[in-house]
PDB file of all heavy atoms in Angstrom:
ATOM      1  N   SER P   1      12.323  -4.929  22.277  1.00 87.00           N
ATOM      2  CA  SER P   1      13.547  -4.562  22.981  1.00 87.00           C
ATOM      3  C   SER P   1      14.738  -4.745  22.065  1.00 87.00           C
ATOM      4  O   SER P   1      14.642  -5.342  20.979  1.00 87.00           O
ATOM      5  CB  SER P   1      13.731  -5.407  24.256  1.00 87.00           C
ATOM      6  OG  SER P   1      13.816  -6.783  23.933  1.00 87.00           O
ATOM      7  N   ARG P   2      15.863  -4.222  22.498  1.00 85.00           N
ATOM      8  CA  ARG P   2      17.110  -4.297  21.748  1.00 85.00           C
ATOM      9  C   ARG P   2      17.458  -5.745  21.451  1.00 85.00           C
ATOM     10  O   ARG P   2      17.394  -6.603  22.330  1.00 85.00           O
ATOM     11  CB  ARG P   2      18.238  -3.639  22.551  1.00 85.00           C
ATOM     12  CG  ARG P   2      19.567  -3.543  21.823  1.00 85.00           C
ATOM     13  CD  ARG P   2      20.609  -2.889  22.729  1.00 85.00           C
ATOM     14  NE  ARG P   2      21.884  -2.793  22.060  1.00 85.00           N
ATOM     15  CZ  ARG P   2      22.271  -1.784  21.308  1.00 85.00           C
ATOM     16  NH1 ARG P   2      21.457  -0.760  21.152  1.00 85.00           N
ATOM     17  NH2 ARG P   2      23.455  -1.752  20.733  1.00 85.00           N
ATOM     18  N   GLY P   3      17.815  -6.027  20.194  1.00 87.00           N
ATOM     19  CA  GLY P   3      18.167  -7.375  19.798  1.00 87.00           C
ATOM     20  C   GLY P   3      17.082  -8.096  19.025  1.00 87.00           C
ATOM     21  O   GLY P   3      17.357  -9.089  18.346  1.00 87.00           O
ATOM     22  N   ASP P   4      15.823  -7.607  19.109  1.00 90.00           N
ATOM     23  CA  ASP P   4      14.762  -8.157  18.277  1.00 90.00           C
ATOM     24  C   ASP P   4      15.033  -7.826  16.805  1.00 90.00           C
ATOM     25  O   ASP P   4      15.727  -6.852  16.499  1.00 90.00           O
ATOM     26  CB  ASP P   4      13.402  -7.580  18.674  1.00 90.00           C
ATOM     27  CG  ASP P   4      12.918  -8.081  20.022  1.00 90.00           C
ATOM     28  OD1 ASP P   4      13.454  -9.098  20.501  1.00 90.00           O
ATOM     29  OD2 ASP P   4      12.009  -7.450  20.587  1.00 90.00           O
ATOM     30  N   VAL P   5      14.438  -8.620  15.906  1.00 91.00           N
ATOM     31  CA  VAL P   5      14.552  -8.354  14.467  1.00 91.00           C
ATOM     32  C   VAL P   5      13.146  -8.248  13.893  1.00 91.00           C
ATOM     33  O   VAL P   5      12.329  -9.173  14.033  1.00 91.00           O
ATOM     34  CB  VAL P   5      15.327  -9.465  13.729  1.00 91.00           C
ATOM     35  CG1 VAL P   5      15.373  -9.175  12.221  1.00 91.00           C
ATOM     36  CG2 VAL P   5      16.744  -9.582  14.281  1.00 91.00           C
ATOM     37  N   VAL P   6      12.842  -7.105  13.279  1.00 90.00           N
ATOM     38  CA  VAL P   6      11.543  -6.892  12.644  1.00 90.00           C
ATOM     39  C   VAL P   6      11.589  -7.499  11.251  1.00 90.00           C
ATOM     40  O   VAL P   6      12.373  -7.069  10.391  1.00 90.00           O
ATOM     41  CB  VAL P   6      11.198  -5.391  12.577  1.00 90.00           C
ATOM     42  CG1 VAL P   6       9.862  -5.189  11.875  1.00 90.00           C
ATOM     43  CG2 VAL P   6      11.154  -4.796  13.983  1.00 90.00           C
ATOM     44  N   LEU P   7      10.723  -8.520  11.019  1.00 88.00           N
ATOM     45  CA  LEU P   7      10.721  -9.231   9.737  1.00 88.00           C
ATOM     46  C   LEU P   7       9.658  -8.704   8.778  1.00 88.00           C
ATOM     47  O   LEU P   7       9.862  -8.740   7.558  1.00 88.00           O
ATOM     48  CB  LEU P   7      10.490 -10.730   9.974  1.00 88.00           C
ATOM     49  CG  LEU P   7      11.518 -11.451  10.845  1.00 88.00           C
ATOM     50  CD1 LEU P   7      11.107 -12.904  11.031  1.00 88.00           C
ATOM     51  CD2 LEU P   7      12.903 -11.362  10.226  1.00 88.00           C
ATOM     52  N   ALA P   8       8.522  -8.246   9.313  1.00 84.00           N
ATOM     53  CA  ALA P   8       7.434  -7.794   8.433  1.00 84.00           C
ATOM     54  C   ALA P   8       6.553  -6.824   9.195  1.00 84.00           C
ATOM     55  O   ALA P   8       6.491  -6.840  10.429  1.00 84.00           O
ATOM     56  CB  ALA P   8       6.614  -8.986   7.939  1.00 84.00           C
ATOM     57  N   ILE P   9       5.858  -5.966   8.450  1.00 85.00           N
ATOM     58  CA  ILE P   9       4.880  -5.051   9.005  1.00 85.00           C
ATOM     59  C   ILE P   9       3.599  -5.187   8.190  1.00 85.00           C
ATOM     60  O   ILE P   9       3.606  -5.033   6.967  1.00 85.00           O
ATOM     61  CB  ILE P   9       5.392  -3.590   9.009  1.00 85.00           C
ATOM     62  CG1 ILE P   9       4.333  -2.642   9.575  1.00 85.00           C
ATOM     63  CG2 ILE P   9       5.860  -3.153   7.633  1.00 85.00           C
ATOM     64  CD1 ILE P   9       4.838  -1.223   9.807  1.00 85.00           C
ATOM     65  N   ASN P  10       2.529  -5.556   8.870  1.00 72.00           N
ATOM     66  CA  ASN P  10       1.238  -5.792   8.219  1.00 72.00           C
ATOM     67  C   ASN P  10       1.366  -6.734   7.034  1.00 72.00           C
ATOM     68  O   ASN P  10       0.762  -6.526   5.977  1.00 72.00           O
ATOM     69  CB  ASN P  10       0.603  -4.477   7.787  1.00 72.00           C
ATOM     70  CG  ASN P  10       0.074  -3.674   8.958  1.00 72.00           C
ATOM     71  OD1 ASN P  10       0.105  -4.143  10.096  1.00 72.00           O
ATOM     72  ND2 ASN P  10      -0.399  -2.467   8.693  1.00 72.00           N
ATOM     73  N   GLY P  11       2.148  -7.767   7.212  1.00 73.00           N
ATOM     74  CA  GLY P  11       2.305  -8.790   6.189  1.00 73.00           C
ATOM     75  C   GLY P  11       3.304  -8.480   5.100  1.00 73.00           C
ATOM     76  O   GLY P  11       3.584  -9.339   4.252  1.00 73.00           O
ATOM     77  N   GLN P  12       3.861  -7.283   5.085  1.00 80.00           N
ATOM     78  CA  GLN P  12       4.843  -6.910   4.065  1.00 80.00           C
ATOM     79  C   GLN P  12       6.257  -7.152   4.597  1.00 80.00           C
ATOM     80  O   GLN P  12       6.616  -6.610   5.651  1.00 80.00           O
ATOM     81  CB  GLN P  12       4.682  -5.445   3.671  1.00 80.00           C
ATOM     82  CG  GLN P  12       3.333  -5.114   3.067  1.00 80.00           C
ATOM     83  CD  GLN P  12       3.278  -3.679   2.572  1.00 80.00           C
ATOM     84  OE1 GLN P  12       4.280  -3.128   2.131  1.00 80.00           O
ATOM     85  NE2 GLN P  12       2.103  -3.074   2.631  1.00 80.00           N
ATOM     86  N   PRO P  13       7.047  -7.961   3.920  1.00 86.00           N
ATOM     87  CA  PRO P  13       8.428  -8.203   4.380  1.00 86.00           C
ATOM     88  C   PRO P  13       9.195  -6.894   4.513  1.00 86.00           C
ATOM     89  O   PRO P  13       9.067  -5.999   3.682  1.00 86.00           O
ATOM     90  CB  PRO P  13       9.023  -9.093   3.274  1.00 86.00           C
ATOM     91  CG  PRO P  13       7.838  -9.731   2.636  1.00 86.00           C
ATOM     92  CD  PRO P  13       6.745  -8.707   2.694  1.00 86.00           C
ATOM     93  N   VAL P  14       9.986  -6.790   5.575  1.00 86.00           N
ATOM     94  CA  VAL P  14      10.754  -5.583   5.864  1.00 86.00           C
ATOM     95  C   VAL P  14      12.218  -5.840   5.568  1.00 86.00           C
ATOM     96  O   VAL P  14      12.853  -6.668   6.216  1.00 86.00           O
ATOM     97  CB  VAL P  14      10.579  -5.154   7.337  1.00 86.00           C
ATOM     98  CG1 VAL P  14      11.538  -4.027   7.678  1.00 86.00           C
ATOM     99  CG2 VAL P  14       9.145  -4.732   7.595  1.00 86.00           C
ATOM    100  N   ASP P  15      12.727  -5.143   4.565  1.00 80.00           N
ATOM    101  CA  ASP P  15      14.156  -5.233   4.274  1.00 80.00           C
ATOM    102  C   ASP P  15      14.813  -3.858   4.229  1.00 80.00           C
ATOM    103  O   ASP P  15      16.001  -3.735   3.955  1.00 80.00           O
ATOM    104  CB  ASP P  15      14.403  -5.969   2.948  1.00 80.00           C
ATOM    105  CG  ASP P  15      13.644  -5.349   1.784  1.00 80.00           C
ATOM    106  OD1 ASP P  15      13.016  -4.285   1.999  1.00 80.00           O
ATOM    107  OD2 ASP P  15      13.676  -5.913   0.692  1.00 80.00           O
ATOM    108  N   SER P  16      14.024  -2.798   4.499  1.00 80.00           N
ATOM    109  CA  SER P  16      14.568  -1.448   4.519  1.00 80.00           C
ATOM    110  C   SER P  16      13.628  -0.556   5.317  1.00 80.00           C
ATOM    111  O   SER P  16      12.459  -0.896   5.551  1.00 80.00           O
ATOM    112  CB  SER P  16      14.733  -0.886   3.099  1.00 80.00           C
ATOM    113  OG  SER P  16      13.464  -0.680   2.505  1.00 80.00           O
ATOM    114  N   VAL P  17      14.132   0.603   5.723  1.00 78.00           N
ATOM    115  CA  VAL P  17      13.306   1.568   6.440  1.00 78.00           C
ATOM    116  C   VAL P  17      12.199   2.096   5.544  1.00 78.00           C
ATOM    117  O   VAL P  17      11.112   2.441   6.016  1.00 78.00           O
ATOM    118  CB  VAL P  17      14.186   2.718   6.966  1.00 78.00           C
ATOM    119  CG1 VAL P  17      13.333   3.827   7.588  1.00 78.00           C
ATOM    120  CG2 VAL P  17      15.182   2.201   7.996  1.00 78.00           C
ATOM    121  N   GLU P  18      12.429   2.137   4.224  1.00 78.00           N
ATOM    122  CA  GLU P  18      11.411   2.644   3.306  1.00 78.00           C
ATOM    123  C   GLU P  18      10.126   1.818   3.378  1.00 78.00           C
ATOM    124  O   GLU P  18       9.026   2.359   3.174  1.00 78.00           O
ATOM    125  CB  GLU P  18      11.950   2.647   1.877  1.00 78.00           C
ATOM    126  CG  GLU P  18      12.957   3.749   1.582  1.00 78.00           C
ATOM    127  CD  GLU P  18      14.295   3.505   2.275  1.00 78.00           C
ATOM    128  OE1 GLU P  18      14.603   2.329   2.574  1.00 78.00           O
ATOM    129  OE2 GLU P  18      15.018   4.489   2.518  1.00 78.00           O
ATOM    130  N   THR P  19      10.254   0.518   3.641  1.00 80.00           N
ATOM    131  CA  THR P  19       9.056  -0.311   3.779  1.00 80.00           C
ATOM    132  C   THR P  19       8.196   0.172   4.927  1.00 80.00           C
ATOM    133  O   THR P  19       6.961   0.280   4.813  1.00 80.00           O
ATOM    134  CB  THR P  19       9.450  -1.780   4.005  1.00 80.00           C
ATOM    135  OG1 THR P  19      10.287  -2.228   2.943  1.00 80.00           O
ATOM    136  CG2 THR P  19       8.219  -2.670   4.077  1.00 80.00           C
ATOM    137  N   LEU P  20       8.827   0.485   6.043  1.00 80.00           N
ATOM    138  CA  LEU P  20       8.080   1.025   7.177  1.00 80.00           C
ATOM    139  C   LEU P  20       7.439   2.360   6.825  1.00 80.00           C
ATOM    140  O   LEU P  20       6.297   2.639   7.186  1.00 80.00           O
ATOM    141  CB  LEU P  20       9.014   1.194   8.379  1.00 80.00           C
ATOM    142  CG  LEU P  20       9.581  -0.066   9.029  1.00 80.00           C
ATOM    143  CD1 LEU P  20      10.559   0.310  10.127  1.00 80.00           C
ATOM    144  CD2 LEU P  20       8.472  -0.932   9.585  1.00 80.00           C
ATOM    145  N   GLN P  21       8.172   3.200   6.121  1.00 76.00           N
ATOM    146  CA  GLN P  21       7.655   4.509   5.760  1.00 76.00           C
ATOM    147  C   GLN P  21       6.386   4.386   4.917  1.00 76.00           C
ATOM    148  O   GLN P  21       5.419   5.125   5.124  1.00 76.00           O
ATOM    149  CB  GLN P  21       8.703   5.305   5.000  1.00 76.00           C
ATOM    150  CG  GLN P  21       9.880   5.769   5.858  1.00 76.00           C
ATOM    151  CD  GLN P  21      10.944   6.472   5.041  1.00 76.00           C
ATOM    152  OE1 GLN P  21      11.233   6.061   3.923  1.00 76.00           O
ATOM    153  NE2 GLN P  21      11.503   7.518   5.609  1.00 76.00           N
ATOM    154  N   ARG P  22       6.395   3.462   3.975  1.00 81.00           N
ATOM    155  CA  ARG P  22       5.233   3.309   3.091  1.00 81.00           C
ATOM    156  C   ARG P  22       3.999   2.880   3.892  1.00 81.00           C
ATOM    157  O   ARG P  22       2.891   3.389   3.662  1.00 81.00           O
ATOM    158  CB  ARG P  22       5.534   2.302   1.992  1.00 81.00           C
ATOM    159  CG  ARG P  22       6.503   2.812   0.928  1.00 81.00           C
ATOM    160  CD  ARG P  22       6.480   1.913  -0.295  1.00 81.00           C
ATOM    161  NE  ARG P  22       6.932   0.558   0.029  1.00 81.00           N
ATOM    162  CZ  ARG P  22       8.205   0.165  -0.050  1.00 81.00           C
ATOM    163  NH1 ARG P  22       9.142   1.034  -0.432  1.00 81.00           N
ATOM    164  NH2 ARG P  22       8.542  -1.070   0.228  1.00 81.00           N
ATOM    165  N   VAL P  23       4.156   1.946   4.798  1.00 81.00           N
ATOM    166  CA  VAL P  23       3.022   1.472   5.586  1.00 81.00           C
ATOM    167  C   VAL P  23       2.536   2.552   6.542  1.00 81.00           C
ATOM    168  O   VAL P  23       1.325   2.803   6.666  1.00 81.00           O
ATOM    169  CB  VAL P  23       3.398   0.187   6.355  1.00 81.00           C
ATOM    170  CG1 VAL P  23       2.265  -0.223   7.297  1.00 81.00           C
ATOM    171  CG2 VAL P  23       3.716  -0.934   5.385  1.00 81.00           C
ATOM    172  N   LEU P  24       3.463   3.234   7.201  1.00 81.00           N
ATOM    173  CA  LEU P  24       3.084   4.245   8.180  1.00 81.00           C
ATOM    174  C   LEU P  24       2.521   5.502   7.528  1.00 81.00           C
ATOM    175  O   LEU P  24       1.828   6.283   8.181  1.00 81.00           O
ATOM    176  CB  LEU P  24       4.293   4.608   9.049  1.00 81.00           C
ATOM    177  CG  LEU P  24       4.820   3.486   9.952  1.00 81.00           C
ATOM    178  CD1 LEU P  24       6.075   3.939  10.676  1.00 81.00           C
ATOM    179  CD2 LEU P  24       3.756   3.047  10.941  1.00 81.00           C
ATOM    180  N   ALA P  25       2.805   5.703   6.244  1.00 79.00           N
ATOM    181  CA  ALA P  25       2.276   6.878   5.541  1.00 79.00           C
ATOM    182  C   ALA P  25       0.757   6.859   5.474  1.00 79.00           C
ATOM    183  O   ALA P  25       0.120   7.907   5.328  1.00 79.00           O
ATOM    184  CB  ALA P  25       2.869   6.948   4.134  1.00 79.00           C
ATOM    185  N   ALA P  26       0.156   5.647   5.568  1.00 78.00           N
ATOM    186  CA  ALA P  26      -1.296   5.532   5.548  1.00 78.00           C
ATOM    187  C   ALA P  26      -1.932   5.855   6.895  1.00 78.00           C
ATOM    188  O   ALA P  26      -3.157   5.753   7.035  1.00 78.00           O
ATOM    189  CB  ALA P  26      -1.702   4.124   5.124  1.00 78.00           C
ATOM    190  N   GLN P  27      -1.116   6.249   7.891  1.00 78.00           N
ATOM    191  CA  GLN P  27      -1.594   6.623   9.216  1.00 78.00           C
ATOM    192  C   GLN P  27      -2.441   5.527   9.871  1.00 78.00           C
ATOM    193  O   GLN P  27      -3.535   5.775  10.395  1.00 78.00           O
ATOM    194  CB  GLN P  27      -2.412   7.914   9.138  1.00 78.00           C
ATOM    195  CG  GLN P  27      -1.670   9.103   8.564  1.00 78.00           C
ATOM    196  CD  GLN P  27      -0.548   9.586   9.484  1.00 78.00           C
ATOM    197  OE1 GLN P  27      -0.678   9.578  10.695  1.00 78.00           O
ATOM    198  NE2 GLN P  27       0.562   9.987   8.886  1.00 78.00           N
ATOM    199  N   PRO P  28      -1.966   4.293   9.896  1.00 75.00           N
ATOM    200  CA  PRO P  28      -2.747   3.236  10.551  1.00 75.00           C
ATOM    201  C   PRO P  28      -2.777   3.445  12.062  1.00 75.00           C
ATOM    202  O   PRO P  28      -1.825   3.955  12.651  1.00 75.00           O
ATOM    203  CB  PRO P  28      -1.986   1.963  10.182  1.00 75.00           C
ATOM    204  CG  PRO P  28      -0.568   2.422   9.999  1.00 75.00           C
ATOM    205  CD  PRO P  28      -0.671   3.798   9.398  1.00 75.00           C
ATOM    206  N   LYS P  29      -3.898   3.034  12.690  1.00 72.00           N
ATOM    207  CA  LYS P  29      -3.999   3.148  14.141  1.00 72.00           C
ATOM    208  C   LYS P  29      -3.194   2.065  14.849  1.00 72.00           C
ATOM    209  O   LYS P  29      -2.786   2.249  16.000  1.00 72.00           O
ATOM    210  CB  LYS P  29      -5.460   3.073  14.568  1.00 72.00           C
ATOM    211  CG  LYS P  29      -6.291   4.259  14.096  1.00 72.00           C
ATOM    212  CD  LYS P  29      -7.713   4.168  14.621  1.00 72.00           C
ATOM    213  CE  LYS P  29      -8.531   5.385  14.186  1.00 72.00           C
ATOM    214  NZ  LYS P  29      -9.927   5.312  14.694  1.00 72.00           N
ATOM    215  N   ARG P  30      -2.988   0.945  14.172  1.00 73.00           N
ATOM    216  CA  ARG P  30      -2.219  -0.138  14.759  1.00 73.00           C
ATOM    217  C   ARG P  30      -1.596  -0.956  13.647  1.00 73.00           C
ATOM    218  O   ARG P  30      -2.199  -1.130  12.583  1.00 73.00           O
ATOM    219  CB  ARG P  30      -3.111  -1.036  15.628  1.00 73.00           C
ATOM    220  CG  ARG P  30      -2.342  -2.061  16.465  1.00 73.00           C
ATOM    221  CD  ARG P  30      -3.302  -2.792  17.399  1.00 73.00           C
ATOM    222  NE  ARG P  30      -3.917  -1.891  18.362  1.00 73.00           N
ATOM    223  CZ  ARG P  30      -3.350  -1.557  19.519  1.00 73.00           C
ATOM    224  NH1 ARG P  30      -2.159  -2.048  19.841  1.00 73.00           N
ATOM    225  NH2 ARG P  30      -3.973  -0.740  20.347  1.00 73.00           N
ATOM    226  N   VAL P  31      -0.386  -1.411  13.862  1.00 75.00           N
ATOM    227  CA  VAL P  31       0.284  -2.268  12.888  1.00 75.00           C
ATOM    228  C   VAL P  31       0.709  -3.546  13.587  1.00 75.00           C
ATOM    229  O   VAL P  31       0.916  -3.586  14.810  1.00 75.00           O
ATOM    230  CB  VAL P  31       1.522  -1.579  12.263  1.00 75.00           C
ATOM    231  CG1 VAL P  31       1.106  -0.365  11.462  1.00 75.00           C
ATOM    232  CG2 VAL P  31       2.538  -1.210  13.332  1.00 75.00           C
ATOM    233  N   ALA P  32       0.835  -4.609  12.787  1.00 75.00           N
ATOM    234  CA  ALA P  32       1.297  -5.897  13.305  1.00 75.00           C
ATOM    235  C   ALA P  32       2.719  -6.128  12.816  1.00 75.00           C
ATOM    236  O   ALA P  32       2.962  -6.207  11.605  1.00 75.00           O
ATOM    237  CB  ALA P  32       0.381  -7.022  12.846  1.00 75.00           C
ATOM    238  N   LEU P  33       3.632  -6.211  13.746  1.00 83.00           N
ATOM    239  CA  LEU P  33       5.027  -6.477  13.412  1.00 83.00           C
ATOM    240  C   LEU P  33       5.323  -7.948  13.631  1.00 83.00           C
ATOM    241  O   LEU P  33       5.032  -8.487  14.709  1.00 83.00           O
ATOM    242  CB  LEU P  33       5.965  -5.625  14.272  1.00 83.00           C
ATOM    243  CG  LEU P  33       5.819  -4.109  14.191  1.00 83.00           C
ATOM    244  CD1 LEU P  33       6.852  -3.434  15.091  1.00 83.00           C
ATOM    245  CD2 LEU P  33       5.956  -3.618  12.759  1.00 83.00           C
ATOM    246  N   LEU P  34       5.881  -8.595  12.613  1.00 84.00           N
ATOM    247  CA  LEU P  34       6.383  -9.962  12.781  1.00 84.00           C
ATOM    248  C   LEU P  34       7.818  -9.849  13.260  1.00 84.00           C
ATOM    249  O   LEU P  34       8.661  -9.262  12.592  1.00 84.00           O
ATOM    250  CB  LEU P  34       6.320 -10.729  11.463  1.00 84.00           C
ATOM    251  CG  LEU P  34       6.838 -12.176  11.525  1.00 84.00           C
ATOM    252  CD1 LEU P  34       6.036 -13.015  12.504  1.00 84.00           C
ATOM    253  CD2 LEU P  34       6.826 -12.798  10.127  1.00 84.00           C
ATOM    254  N   VAL P  35       8.089 -10.400  14.429  1.00 86.00           N
ATOM    255  CA  VAL P  35       9.368 -10.205  15.100  1.00 86.00           C
ATOM    256  C   VAL P  35      10.063 -11.543  15.313  1.00 86.00           C
ATOM    257  O   VAL P  35       9.424 -12.524  15.728  1.00 86.00           O
ATOM    258  CB  VAL P  35       9.159  -9.495  16.458  1.00 86.00           C
ATOM    259  CG1 VAL P  35      10.470  -9.383  17.229  1.00 86.00           C
ATOM    260  CG2 VAL P  35       8.551  -8.111  16.235  1.00 86.00           C
TER     261      VAL P  35
END
């Protein structure tokens, strides 16, 4: 929900939208977000 902060996706620290793009480019069926 609004106000959460996404810290990592599949164990990779998130500091930009490009990080999400790289992980999602592999077409994973499910990702783990550290929030």
Side-chain angles (χ1 to χ4, degrees):
S1 60
R2 185 181 180 89
D4 290 343
V5 178
V6 178
L7 300 177
I9 179 171
N10 287 355
Q12 298 186 32
V14 172
D15 55 6
S16 68
V17 174
E18 286 71 24
T19 304
L20 293 176
Q21 289 176 321
R22 288 194 297 270
V23 174
L24 294 176
Q27 302 292 323
K29 294 183 178 180
R30 190 174 297 275
V31 296
L33 301 181
L34 179 61
V35 175

